[in-house]
Amino acid sequence: MVSGGTAHSLIGHTKSVNSVAWSPTKGFALVTGSSDGTIRYWDLRNPRGSVHVFDKQRTVDAEGAQEAPRGRKRKKTMQEASSSRWSSSRTTPKRAHAGAVTCVKFTSKGDKLLSTGGDGRMRRWHVESGSNSMVHYPTANASAVSVV
């Protein structure tokens, strides 16, 4: 049935959205990649907006445990569970790529995400935490992600 109505508004990106990927395991979850350099994870059951923003400075160690971004101390607040914020001497916006995010793609299990950006990088992410898994890919382009 076509109504012309809006079911959800995904508000948070400050520039155009270039790529959208639905979770292969959670029908209510998706990620968006934008020209603002961010990747946002959305749970359509949550009316408050994105669950978290992927941060290239937030990493996961070999065992999958969270590490604070380099040069930052962990700030424990009530907001942390919903926004995963980290404190620093100056506010640094979270970014997935130094340039625009050009492509996002879930792995088949839905627990990891691959992204490419205008910075020439391809990154692998832990979806639930939004953490960079620090896997090095020598070259990156959108077609490399689209075949995964």
Side-chain angles (χ1 to χ4, degrees):
M1 175 162 79
V2 178
S3 70
T6 301
H8 294 279
S9 293
L10 304 178
I11 299 171
H13 289 295
T14 58
K15 293 186 178 178
S16 63
V17 172
N18 300 324
S19 186
V20 177
W22 285 94
S23 168
T25 58
K26 298 177 181 177
F28 54 82
L30 67 128
V31 294
T32 53
S34 171
S35 291
D36 63 11
T38 64
I39 298 172
R40 292 181 177 269
Y41 179 79
W42 307 88
D43 180 337
L44 297 182
R45 303 170 301 176
N46 180 356
R48 293 185 188 159
S50 61
V51 175
H52 58 258
V53 179
F54 291 68
D55 186 357
K56 66 183 176 183
Q57 298 300 317
R58 187 172 188 193
T59 62
V60 176
D61 68 16
E63 288 79 38
Q66 295 290 325
E67 295 178 352
R70 286 174 233 114
R72 298 183 187 182
K73 292 182 180 180
R74 186 176 175 124
K75 179 181 178 182
K76 296 181 181 180
T77 68
M78 293 186 67
Q79 293 178 331
E80 184 177 67
S82 63
S83 65
S84 302
R85 295 191 187 275
W86 298 90
S87 66
S88 77
S89 58
R90 62 182 177 84
T91 303
T92 304
K94 295 179 185 180
R95 295 281 184 258
H97 289 275
V101 177
T102 55
C103 189
V104 291
K105 175 94 173 169
F106 280 95
T107 59
S108 60
K109 291 182 180 178
D111 61 336
K112 304 283 189 302
L113 182 82
L114 295 174
S115 69
T116 57
D119 56 4
R121 303 270 183 177
M122 183 163 72
R123 292 196 165 91
R124 187 176 78 175
W125 306 91
H126 290 266
V127 173
E128 292 301 319
S129 67
S131 298
N132 184 353
S133 62
M134 300 300 291
V135 174
H136 175 70
Y137 298 99
T139 60
N141 60 52
S143 63
V145 173
S146 64
V147 297
V148 172

